[in-house]
Amino acid sequence: MSRKFQVKSVPSSWLGHSGRRLDCGPYMSGAIEAAELINQFKAEPLQSLTVDMFHAGREGRQYVLDAQHGIPFMGSTDILAFDLTYQPLLSKSQISRNPQFSIQKGWTLITRSGTTGRMAFARDSMDGMACSEHVMRIVPDVNRVPEGYIFAFLSSRFGIPLVTSGTYGSVIQSIEPHHICNLPVPRLGHVEEIADQMIQRAGSLLSNSQEKLNEATTLYFDSVGLKDITLTEWHSWGSDLGFSTSVDSRSLRALNFNPRFEKLCSKIRSGPHKLLGELCHEGTLRRGNIFKRIDATPEHSYQLIGQKQIFWLRPEGRWIARSSVRDEVLVPDGSILVAAQGTLGEGELFCRAEFITGSTLERAYSEHFLRVIADETQIERGALFSFIRSETSFRMLRSISTGSKLQDFHYAILPTLPIPYPDQVTRTRCNNLIMEAYESRDEALKFEDEARTLVERTIEEGTA
C-alpha cells in the first residue's frame, strides 16, 4: 500500500493562540483543534478538578512469590487488560514504604512512558492493586466533578490529543503530571452526570465479569474434588533439579517430566478426567499457518491481533487485506487461543489463554496462537476454558514446552494432557458463567463508547 501523506489547513488564529508554533505535531494531532472547540465552554484546568495527579516514582521493584507478602501488580499495559487474575506480586513492604504504588477505584489511569495516552478507568476489581510508575494516576475531586466524566473526557478524541501534546523525549516519549495540570476540561452540566453513570456502569460490569471468570474456574475444580494451584504452592514444591524418571520416545527434555508437572497430572488422574485430545475437534490443537501480511484500509481488512494485544479490553492490531488471507485467520465461536510462543519468565504471556466470542469474533488472529476448539459433544467450550485459564493448566502447558530461547509446545505430548471432567450440570454452569462474563464485557465496552460519544457530540455541537 502506498504511503499516505497528511495535509491539513488551519486558520491563522490557531497559530496566534498556540504561541505561533510552526511545527506540525500539535495541529495534526488535533490538540489545537480540541482546545479551540473547548474554548466555547466554561472550562477549568484539570488540576483544579483533582485531589492529586501523580505516579509512583522510579525505584527498583521487589517481587515476591507468596500472596501473603504481596499485592497484585499491574504494568503499564496491564491496565488495559480484561482478566486481572494472574498478575505478579509486588512486596507489601515496598508498598508500605511507597503507598503511591497503590491505586483506588474511580481514578483515571494514563500510560505516561513509551506509548503515552492509553487510559483505563480504575474499576472495583482494580481497587487496592499496585501499579507501575509508568502509569499516571488522576484522582478526581468528587465534590467538584464526577469521576467517570473525567475519564470519558480525557479518553475522548478531544482529550487524548491534549494529554499527549505534552510529551517530551526523543526516543522514549514521556509525560509528567505538570505537563497536563492546566489541560482545559469543559464543564458540560448534566452531561457530566450521564457520562459518569455510563462509565461507572461499565466498571461494574467488568468487575462482575472478573468475578464470574473466577467463579467458573473455582466451580470446575471443586466439582472434581480439586483446588487450582496457586503461584505460592507451585514454587513451594521445590525445584526441578536432580530427579530421576522413566522417559519415552517422544521427548528427552527433562522439563517435560519434571516432578511438579507429574504431581499435577497425578492429582487430575485420581478423579474423573479425559485427555485433551479427546475433548477437542480433530485437526485442532495446533498453531495457525504462516501467512503474508498486506496492509489495507479498515473497510477492506481484518484487524490482526497478536499475543500481546489479545488480552486487552480493546486490542490494537494492524489492518491486513481480506483478499490476502484465507478464512483460517478467523476462529469459530468459543475458541480458546493460547499464547504459543515465548519464554518461560514468570511475567511472560506464553501459555496464557483467552476465550473468543461476541465482538472478538470479528478479528483475525496470528499464527502464534494454539487453537483449542472443544468438541461440544464432549464438553462445552466455556467449561473447557474454565480449566484452561487456570494456574494449573498454565503450569502444565509450560511443562510440555520445547525449544531453546523461544519456546513452543511439544505437540506429541499436548493431546495426552489429562483434563478434569466434571458432571454435565457443572459443565453447563461453568459454560454459562463464562458466556455471561464475556457478554458483560461487550456490554461494558458499549457503555464506555456511549459515554465518550455523548461527550464528543456535546463539545462538537457547542451545547451543554
Side-chain angles (χ1 to χ4, degrees):
M1 184 173 66
S2 60
R3 182 180 177 185
K4 291 186 177 180
F5 293 92
Q6 292 183 309
V7 178
K8 188 172 187 176
S9 299
V10 301
S12 60
S13 60
W14 289 13
L15 277 69
H17 295 163
S18 58
R20 302 201 178 279
R21 290 183 63 167
L22 296 179
D23 55 321
C24 65
Y27 304 100
M28 299 303 295
S29 69
I32 303 298
E33 182 178 4
E36 292 290 324
L37 282 170
I38 289 170
N39 283 339
Q40 303 173 82
F41 299 88
K42 175 188 174 183
E44 298 183 49
L46 180 60
Q47 188 174 36
S48 70
L49 301 175
T50 61
V51 175
D52 202 357
M53 292 185 288
F54 66 96
H55 56 79
R58 296 175 182 172
E59 61 178 81
R61 301 171 192 164
Q62 181 182 353
Y63 295 106
V64 296
L65 298 177
D66 191 336
Q68 291 185 338
H69 304 294
I71 296 292
F73 175 81
M74 294 187 295
S76 56
T77 55
D78 293 326
I79 67 170
L80 309 174
F82 171 47
D83 187 353
L84 300 172
T85 305
Y86 304 106
Q87 299 300 124
L89 302 173
L90 194 68
S91 168
K92 288 182 178 178
S93 61
Q94 182 170 17
I95 297 173
S96 297
R97 294 192 304 270
N98 185 359
Q100 291 186 324
F101 271 111
S102 296
I103 61 172
Q104 296 179 23
K105 63 179 181 179
W107 293 3
T108 292
L109 309 178
I110 307 176
T111 57
R112 53 166 293 272
S113 181
T115 303
T116 60
R118 289 175 172 151
M119 301 186 200
F121 184 71
R123 52 192 184 266
D124 285 334
S125 53
M126 291 181 174
D127 191 41
M129 294 181 71
C131 193
S132 166
E133 68 274 13
H134 299 297
V135 174
M136 193 185 310
R137 289 82 156 153
I138 309 296
V139 186
D141 183 346
V142 294
N143 295 317
R144 300 210 60 210
V145 67
E147 297 169 330
Y149 169 64
I150 287 293
F151 171 74
F153 169 68
L154 292 179
S155 62
S156 71
R157 65 183 182 87
F158 297 112
I160 291 176
L162 291 171
V163 170
T164 57
S165 65
T167 57
Y168 71 95
S170 55
V171 178
I172 300 178
Q173 298 286 297
S174 299
I175 50 175
E176 296 287 343
H178 65 266
H179 293 139
I180 63 172
C181 63
N182 291 319
L183 184 152
V185 179
R187 304 314 306 267
L188 304 182
H190 71 288
V191 169
E192 296 180 6
E193 296 293 341
I194 299 173
D196 175 63
Q197 292 170 9
M198 292 178 178
I199 296 299
Q200 297 286 359
R201 177 61 176 154
S204 295
L205 284 167
L206 290 174
S207 294
N208 182 256
S209 295
Q210 184 74 79
E211 293 173 1
K212 288 183 182 295
L213 291 176
N214 294 338
E215 182 184 349
T217 297
T218 300
L219 175 62
Y220 194 97
F221 278 84
D222 286 348
S223 67
V224 291
L226 297 173
K227 294 290 182 185
D228 190 14
I229 192 173
T230 65
L231 176 70
T232 305
E233 289 174 319
W234 174 257
H235 289 286
S236 71
W237 287 358
S239 67
D240 298 325
L241 301 176
F243 64 89
S244 60
T245 186
S246 58
V247 299
D248 55 44
S249 59
R250 295 175 299 175
S251 174
L252 293 176
R253 191 182 193 190
L255 178 65
N256 300 155
F257 304 94
N258 74 78
R260 291 186 291 181
F261 170 52
E262 295 295 338
K263 185 175 181 178
L264 284 178
C265 292
S266 295
K267 283 188 172 185
I268 294 173
R269 292 191 188 102
S270 67
H273 70 280
K274 289 193 175 186
L275 302 184
L276 180 59
E278 297 173 344
L279 297 176
C280 296
H281 280 297
E282 186 177 353
T284 63
L285 291 181
R286 62 175 181 82
R287 288 199 292 113
N289 293 329
I290 297 174
F291 55 88
K292 182 181 292 186
R293 288 131 164 95
I294 298 177
D295 294 323
T297 54
E299 60 268 26
H300 303 294
S301 305
Y302 294 123
Q303 188 181 31
L304 180 65
I305 305 302
Q307 289 187 148
K308 178 181 178 181
Q309 295 83 9
I310 194 174
F311 301 101
W312 296 0
L313 271 170
R314 298 178 182 274
E316 300 172 7
R318 65 190 288 186
W319 293 91
I320 60 167
R322 292 193 188 101
S323 60
S324 69
V325 294
R326 292 181 293 180
D327 288 344
E328 65 182 348
V329 299
L330 306 176
V331 296
D333 196 359
S335 295
I336 301 168
L337 298 187
V338 184
Q341 290 189 307
T343 61
L344 295 172
E346 281 295 312
E348 298 297 320
L349 296 174
F350 176 53
C351 297
R352 290 295 181 197
E354 183 57 282
F355 191 68
I356 307 302
T357 189
S359 62
T360 54
L361 290 169
E362 302 168 1
R363 302 184 175 103
Y365 296 92
S366 76
E367 68 272 17
H368 303 295
F369 292 108
L370 174 70
R371 271 74 168 165
V372 182
I373 304 175
D375 180 349
E376 293 182 289
T377 65
Q378 298 293 323
I379 190 171
E380 296 77 1
R381 291 176 178 177
L384 182 57
F385 179 67
S386 300
F387 175 75
I388 297 295
R389 69 176 291 273
S390 69
E391 187 72 12
T392 297
S393 173
F394 174 72
R395 297 298 172 181
M396 291 170 66
L397 289 170
R398 283 206 163 187
S399 296
I400 61 165
S401 63
T402 183
S404 51
K405 170 63 176 175
L406 195 64
Q407 302 294 300
D408 199 344
F409 296 117
H410 196 306
Y411 291 98
I413 301 177
L414 182 63
T416 67
L417 287 181
I419 306 296
Y421 196 68
D423 59 81
Q424 177 67 63
V425 173
T426 301
R427 299 199 310 269
T428 299
R429 177 59 180 151
C430 290
N431 181 72
N432 291 341
L433 285 168
I434 294 298
M435 297 306 297
E436 289 168 10
Y438 280 85
E439 287 167 4
S440 293
R441 165 185 167 149
D442 284 350
E443 188 178 359
L445 295 179
K446 289 178 182 177
F447 273 114
E448 280 193 5
D449 291 339
E450 288 175 8
R452 271 190 287 266
T453 299
L454 174 64
V455 170
E456 292 169 352
R457 187 173 62 245
T458 303
I459 293 174
E460 288 172 337
E461 295 174 352
T463 58

